[in-house]
Amino acid sequence: MQKFSFNRRLVIIIVCLIVSFALMTVSVTIRNKKSTPPLIQQFGNDIVGLVDRVVALPANGLSGSVSSISELLNTYQENQQLKQQVSELAQTKVRDQTLAKENKQLKKELKLNASLTDYTAVSAAVITRTPSSWQNQVVINKGSAAGVQKNMPVMSGSGLIGRIAEVNKTNSKVELITDNNDSANRFAVQITTKSGTTVNGVLSGYKSTTGQITMDNITTKAKLSKGDKVVTSGLGGVTPKGLYVGTVAKASGSDYGLATKLYITPATDLSSLNVVTVAVTKQ
Amino acid sequence: MYRLSKLRFGFPIGLFLLLLLDGSISQSFSVQLFHYPSAMVSHLVVLWLVCGAIFEADQGEAYPMPLAVWAAIAGAVFDLYYTGIFGVYVFVFPVVIYVTRRLVLYIRPNFLSGLLIYFIDITIVEALGYLASRAIHLTTMSGSSFLVNTLGPTLAFNLAMFVILYFPIRWVYNWLK
């Protein structure tokens, strides 16, 4: 009798393990292949997201008021610096407007409808974050109803922070570039060096000890120097051209010494995200 | 008796509240909790489940709760809403309930032995979650850096939470009963 119950327990454990692995494999496959999760999962996520908004409201409000008090302390100094920047920005903005207008006219003449730089920005608030140490994901409050689609790039502040990993009707999950899984941070980017040559490449990972994005396998002779700006190149997929990623921090030989490996300082603080922007491109 | 008590509705409400609060805490205090390279992961939902099992054992047979079922439901919501990978925590949370129920047979549960049990439970949750993530290539973290950067800080954070919240949760549980 004792032996029988032991065997039964062993069978239950093995069956549970097999079912667990099967379920995980299926959900990873769906996540990689399909543009949306199954309908029932979407529905469940929408309902949980709705409840979560009510729960998250006081929690996020509390942390907001705490941070606003701490920010009050160094407001004066910041104000001085910002005033200076604003006057420069006004100049840039006017010039940007003029150029955008000219660009539009020129495109019209060429009968060019959508180019790589065109996108509309959809701003969204962060509801919650995955409580996990390796899955760096946040849930935002815009979904397919607002035009968000899988793999679209997401920005916060001035720079790129990640891509859409899963889309539901009213919320979606964003995988941050700090996430180091197989598909998280492969963005096609380009760097324009001081001498004017353009270097193309793909982001390859995130180095958590220094907080820098890495970019491997660059086989160019162009001299990359510290401070060169890294932007998305718009090649291969839904990412538009010209989203700011960060600046080059260090260039060194790669692990095998044949190519160059770059370390990029991200443009935004990736640990505190409250409002993000999804770059929605027309397809 | 359980069928008549407020616990029947109070327990799942508390469970889902703490489940969602885990995410809110991770979001609000992300600067402090996810200070690279180390990460403290909040597991308040596990605290609620383990406390349920401990207080249940304290009361004797009068209030048997369907804890494993609620644990599986909480795990399913966790998988679908937070991680997007179904099939990990939906099994891990019931395992935690099973282990806790076995342990309270041998150890008389009180505040200090509860701390010990919770230590074991958090280790199980994190270790199984890590093994599953390694198996499906969600992470490439090495075992030693998992122990140092994730398990250590997570245990510290969650045991602190246990110390703070044990008596409030016991009060809530006795009020609901």
Side-chain angles (χ1 to χ4, degrees):
Chain A
M1 200 61 206
Q2 184 67 34
K3 206 178 167 199
F4 171 72
S5 76
F6 174 73
N7 276 343
R8 203 177 58 170
R9 200 178 298 154
L10 198 69
V11 168
I12 291 175
I13 290 173
I14 289 173
V15 167
C16 278
L17 264 178
I18 292 170
V19 171
S20 164
F21 269 90
L23 284 172
M24 284 193 299
T25 316
V26 167
S27 48
V28 168
T29 315
I30 289 175
R31 193 185 166 93
N32 290 344
K33 298 270 158 65
K34 293 268 178 65
S35 59
T36 52
L39 210 63
I40 179 121
Q41 183 177 350
Q42 271 190 60
F43 184 67
N45 280 345
D46 283 331
I47 289 180
V48 178
L50 220 62
V51 178
D52 198 10
R53 268 174 227 198
V54 181
V55 177
L57 202 68
N60 292 349
L62 191 74
S63 78
S65 56
V66 169
S67 67
S68 59
I69 288 171
S70 66
E71 266 166 30
L72 204 62
L73 296 173
N74 48 24
T75 306
Y76 177 74
Q77 210 179 11
E78 218 172 51
N79 193 22
Q80 297 287 320
Q81 293 172 346
L82 286 178
K83 261 183 192 161
Q84 217 165 23
Q85 281 188 18
V86 163
S87 54
E88 287 168 22
L89 257 182
Q91 182 68 38
T92 323
K93 201 175 171 184
V94 171
R95 191 173 152 73
D96 185 60
Q97 267 172 4
T98 327
L99 288 176
K101 206 172 171 186
E102 191 189 54
N103 194 351
K104 208 173 168 185
Q105 282 171 350
L106 290 174
K107 271 184 189 169
K108 215 176 197 173
E109 267 178 47
L110 282 171
K111 297 195 173 59
L112 202 64
N113 284 326
S115 68
L116 286 174
T117 49
D118 284 335
Y119 69 89
T120 46
V122 172
S123 43
V126 175
I127 308 174
T128 189
R129 188 187 167 109
T130 302
S132 161
S133 97
W134 38 84
Q135 274 196 298
N136 293 308
Q137 274 183 345
V138 292
V139 180
I140 60 172
N141 68 352
K142 288 281 164 65
S144 58
V148 175
Q149 277 173 15
K150 198 179 152 86
N151 286 331
M152 280 174 174
V154 182
M155 293 166 295
S156 172
S158 54
L160 187 75
I161 59 153
R163 66 176 188 95
I164 301 280
E166 185 190 305
V167 187
N168 302 307
K169 248 281 129 354
T170 56
N171 58 42
S172 39
K173 292 191 183 72
V174 179
E175 211 165 39
L176 304 182
I177 38 178
T178 53
D179 198 319
N180 250 337
N181 77 37
D182 289 351
S183 63
N185 36 27
R186 307 295 182 270
F187 283 101
V189 292
Q190 64 181 31
I191 308 160
T192 308
T193 59
K194 293 215 167 66
S195 55
T197 45
T198 304
V199 178
N200 278 297
V202 179
L203 297 183
S204 63
Y206 182 75
K207 200 162 183 269
S208 59
T209 45
T210 51
Q212 287 167 339
I213 307 166
T214 55
M215 184 176 163
D216 213 340
N217 296 327
I218 308 162
T219 52
T220 176
K221 291 280 184 294
K223 188 166 163 40
L224 295 158
S225 51
K226 196 179 164 184
D228 284 346
K229 287 190 174 59
V230 183
V231 295
T232 56
S233 63
L235 297 174
V238 285
T239 309
K241 191 176 181 175
L243 303 180
Y244 187 32
V245 177
T247 53
V248 174
K250 197 176 80 181
S252 70
S254 79
D255 298 342
Y256 301 103
L258 294 171
T260 316
K261 188 172 187 176
L262 277 189
Y263 293 93
I264 300 162
T265 312
T268 345
D269 180 14
L270 286 152
S271 54
S272 67
L273 304 166
N274 291 313
V275 179
V276 297
T277 314
V278 185
V280 176
T281 40
K282 285 191 208 79
Q283 317 227 347
Chain B
M1 293 294 272
Y2 168 71
R3 289 172 55 129
L4 297 175
S5 72
K6 280 182 276 183
L7 212 54
R8 204 175 161 196
F9 306 103
F11 185 80
I13 291 174
L15 186 71
F16 286 108
L17 207 64
L18 288 185
L19 180 68
L20 297 178
L21 220 64
D22 271 341
S24 288
I25 287 174
S26 306
Q27 161 62 16
S28 307
F29 301 101
S30 57
V31 181
Q32 290 84 9
L33 292 178
F34 299 100
H35 192 78
Y36 294 114
S38 62
M40 292 187 240
V41 186
S42 150
H43 282 303
L44 291 180
V45 63
V46 180
L47 178 63
W48 183 256
L49 286 169
V50 170
C51 279
I54 287 175
F55 299 141
E56 180 195 51
D58 235 7
Q59 305 293 333
E61 294 296 307
Y63 297 95
M65 287 194 284
L67 278 177
V69 177
W70 282 121
I73 294 172
V77 173
F78 192 101
D79 278 346
L80 292 178
Y81 185 61
Y82 282 137
T83 65
I85 309 291
F86 189 70
V88 184
Y89 289 95
V90 69
F91 292 105
V92 171
F93 286 173
V95 166
V96 165
I97 288 294
Y98 176 74
V99 169
T100 312
R101 277 184 167 164
R102 295 295 294 197
L103 284 174
V104 294
L105 288 182
Y106 301 111
I107 312 167
R108 172 139 190 83
N110 55 36
F111 176 67
L112 282 175
S113 62
L115 201 65
L116 184 71
I117 292 170
Y118 193 56
F119 184 95
I120 295 169
D121 288 336
I122 289 295
T123 311
I124 289 172
V125 170
E126 279 296 314
L128 291 181
Y130 170 69
L131 289 178
S133 304
R134 269 304 285 266
I136 53 175
H137 292 260
L138 268 184
T139 176
T140 49
M141 194 189 276
S142 66
S144 56
S145 73
F146 162 72
L147 289 178
V148 174
N149 294 332
T150 301
L151 188 63
T154 303
L155 275 172
F157 177 79
N158 283 290
L159 291 180
M161 278 298 171
F162 183 90
V163 170
I164 296 166
L165 292 175
Y166 179 82
F167 291 106
I169 289 181
R170 192 170 73 171
W171 183 80
V172 169
Y173 188 88
N174 284 331
W175 177 69
L176 284 172
K177 196 172 66 194

